[in-house]
């Protein structure tokens, strides 16, 4: 399966990428500029530069993908709008 994982550099996302790659899936990770990929060390994945809040960065990341695991999220935000922009609109 070809899949895209948002939030792949986070705790839950990294564990999902580990599981998907272990079973042989082709994994593409949507990663923002400057994101640490330390949690993904040793895993085979394709990096897609982008941000779920920037729709113009998503077309290339989604190309050829069969399923999206949307795990990107904000736990705290200064404004409600910022929280909703990532967690609901993303």
């Amino acid at each position: 399966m070809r899949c895209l994982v948002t939030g792949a550099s986070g705790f839950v996302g990294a564990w999902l990428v580990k599981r998907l790659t272990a079973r042989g899936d082709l994994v593409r990770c949507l990663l923002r500029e400057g994101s640490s990929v330390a949690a993904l060390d040793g895993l085979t994945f394709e990096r897609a530069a982008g941000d779920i809040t920037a729709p113009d960065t998503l077309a290339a990341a989604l190309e050829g993908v069969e399923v999206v695991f949307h795990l990107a999220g904000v736990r705290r935000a200064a404004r409600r709008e910022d929280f909703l922009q990532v967690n609901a609109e993303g």
Side-chain angles (χ1 to χ4, degrees), residues 2-4 26-31 43-48 60-61 63:
R2 288 184 168 270
C3 54
L4 175 70
L26 300 174
V27 179
R28 183 177 298 154
C29 299
L30 183 69
L31 298 162
L43 302 177
T44 301
F45 65 94
E46 180 183 346
R47 182 184 186 119
E63 191 171 316

Side-chain angles (χ1 to χ4, degrees), residues 59-74:
L62 291 167
E63 191 171 316
V65 168
E66 297 170 88
V67 65
V68 175
F69 294 95
H70 177 43
L71 302 176
V74 173

Side-chain angles (χ1 to χ4, degrees), residues 6 15 87:
T6 71
W15 279 101
N87 294 346

Side-chain angles (χ1 to χ4, degrees), residues 7-32:
S9 62
F11 180 78
V12 174
W15 279 101
L16 176 62
V17 172
K18 183 176 185 176
R19 180 70 176 132
L20 291 170
T21 57
R23 73 178 198 181
D25 293 323
L26 300 174
V27 179
R28 183 177 298 154
C29 299
L30 183 69
L31 298 162
R32 292 178 294 164

